[in-house]
Structures are given as C-alpha cells and as structure tokens.
Amino acid sequence: MSTEGHKILVVEDEQEIRRFLRVSLEHSGYRLVETASAKDAVVQAATQQPDMLILDIGLPDGDGFEVIRAVRQWSTMPIIVLSAHGQEQDKVQALDEGADDYLTKPFSVGELLARIRVALRHAAKSPAGSASQFTVGELEVDLAGHVVRLSGKEVHLTPTEFRLLAALVKHAGKVVTHRQLLKEVWGPHSVHETQYLRVYMAALRQKIESTPARPQHLRTEPGVGYRLAMG
Ligand code: CA
C-alpha cells in the first residue's frame, strides 16, 4: 500500500521535534498540519480531516489524553503518541484511552516511518478483508487454518498459546498492552493476571523464537506490553 499523500496532524509544542517531524514526513511525501495546542488539535482534527494524528502528551494548554478522548468520540483515525523516556504510565494510559501506538523520544526517522506505515495499514484494513495469513522472516501463521510454521516446519501450540499469538498477529507491528492481551486471550475478568502473560509468553518464545532469550518476533515493550515485530 502506498502511504504517500496522507495528511498527518502533528501536535507538538517542542520546536525542535516539530521541525524534525516536518522535514522527515514531508520528505516522505506526507502532507502536514501542525499545532502546539491541545484545544486547537481537536479543532484541526475535526476540520482538516487528517488521516492520522501524531500527538505529544505534555502540551501547554492541556494534555494529549484529553485530545485522544475528544477525537475518539467521533473518529477511529490512527493516533501515535510521543512520549518521554521512562513515562511508561503515560504510554499505558494513552493506549487505554484509544491511542494506537507510541514513540519514545528521541526516535529515529526509520522508527517514525515504520510506525506510521503500520498504523495506516491497520486503519485501511476492513475487518472482513483482514488477512488470515501472516509471514515474517521464517515464521508463518495461518489464523484460519490454526497452523504455525517455523522455517517450514509445523509448530504445535496449545490453544491458549495459539490465541495469544493470534492476538499479536491481529495487531502485528503495533504495541498491545498487557491489559488488552489478557482481555482478548483470557477474558475481561483476567485483566490483572499479568503472570499468565509471563508464563505463556515464555512458552511461546521457546516454540517460535530461534533464540528465546533474544526474541526477534515477540518483543517486550517494558512496562507496557508486547509487540509482534514486522521485520
Ligand atoms: Ca511537550
């Protein structure tokens, strides 16, 4: 899918980061709308109809969480939050409020563009048209057929391991919070049972990672959740 020409609303009050975003995104063919204000962000999101939102959490006249809540009342556009290093609680809250992903400052152009591509790809996918086949590197997952292969060889997963992997495949490339995973795999009554995740993630890594101690596919996002890497 070509992502060129998409309009992105950038909400950031730090001049230097805004300039970095403008140069990087315009160079890649995106169109930009910019603001430094939380209140203006909601207005611009409604009137400019951007394809996605890149949003700083700390803004002079409010915070990014308010912007997410306001925009989520009428739009499902992808929202990527910009967060400072070590602010895991902010990231989790932003994702719980409805953000799609986050970038930790300082981030590279490569990371920025990769996150944007993933977010736009997920946004373009209708539920009916979502692919049931997922391949990255030597890992193949056939969701409809319930088959997982590593280097062409079938891997046997327990039903729970498969549900966990399937939940990550559905959000491939995006972070999924502990809470989201627990809810999707074990149900809404289990959202605090983070030890389930640790146990099953370790088992899954043993089966689908060539070096489980240094996972290439099932990445840990410290303090937030997990991400199935796209490459
Ligand atoms: Ca800021």
Side-chain angles (χ1 to χ4, degrees):
M1 183 187 83
S2 166
T3 52
E4 291 202 357
H6 281 100
K7 193 197 273 185
I8 301 180
L9 172 59
V10 169
V11 187
E12 169 63 84
D13 59 316
E14 275 174 72
Q15 292 286 351
E16 214 170 301
I17 296 178
R18 260 205 11 226
R19 183 154 13 90
F20 171 74
L21 288 168
R22 188 189 314 125
V23 170
S24 314
L25 296 179
E26 286 183 348
H27 182 76
S28 298
Y30 294 105
R31 290 176 295 146
L32 249 68
V33 182
E34 295 173 39
T35 180
S37 141
K39 289 182 180 63
D40 189 41
V42 178
V43 174
Q44 298 289 343
T47 56
Q48 293 281 339
Q49 303 197 312
D51 297 295
M52 74 176 298
L53 186 53
I54 294 181
L55 176 66
D56 184 30
I57 292 292
L59 296 164
D61 62 336
D63 62 47
F65 307 125
E66 297 165 24
V67 178
I68 298 170
R69 277 194 290 275
V71 170
R72 277 291 173 260
Q73 292 191 5
W74 46 267
S75 172
T76 58
M77 74 173 83
I79 300 176
I80 296 180
V81 160
L82 304 179
S83 158
H85 178 71
Q87 312 258 294
E88 271 61 46
Q89 210 38 55
D90 279 2
K91 296 171 189 169
V92 172
Q93 187 181 344
L95 295 164
D96 283 344
E97 302 274 11
D100 295 88
D101 212 332
Y102 61 81
L103 279 160
T104 304
K105 298 176 190 178
F107 48 85
S108 68
V109 183
E111 278 177 280
L112 170 70
L113 296 177
R115 292 293 156 78
I116 291 173
R117 276 196 301 272
V118 166
L120 288 172
R121 193 161 44 222
H122 278 282
K125 220 180 253 177
S126 67
S130 54
S132 74
Q133 298 273 352
F134 174 84
T135 306
V136 61
E138 76 283 12
L139 177 68
E140 283 171 69
V141 183
D142 176 353
L143 291 178
H146 273 238
V147 178
V148 178
R149 287 193 189 83
L150 194 64
S151 307
K153 228 180 122 204
E154 193 169 341
V155 179
H156 295 280
L157 300 183
T158 68
T160 304
E161 288 165 358
F162 186 84
R163 280 205 304 277
L164 179 56
L165 182 58
L168 288 158
V169 165
K170 236 168 60 192
H171 302 280
K174 291 205 305 187
V175 69
V176 192
T177 62
H178 298 135
R179 191 188 182 84
Q180 282 177 296
L181 281 172
L182 286 162
K183 197 168 160 196
E184 278 192 39
V185 178
W186 284 275
H189 52 282
S190 299
V191 293
H192 299 295
E193 312 288 343
T194 46
Q195 78 278 12
Y196 292 180
L197 268 181
R198 272 200 302 276
V199 169
Y200 279 89
M201 196 59 73
L204 204 47
R205 281 173 171 157
Q206 286 297 333
K207 294 184 179 180
I208 69 165
E209 297 282 359
S210 39
T211 314
R214 270 182 292 121
Q216 298 304 300
H217 302 301
L218 303 170
R219 303 272 176 87
T220 297
E221 297 280 324
V224 179
Y226 296 91
R227 182 191 304 271
L228 180 63
M230 293 290 283

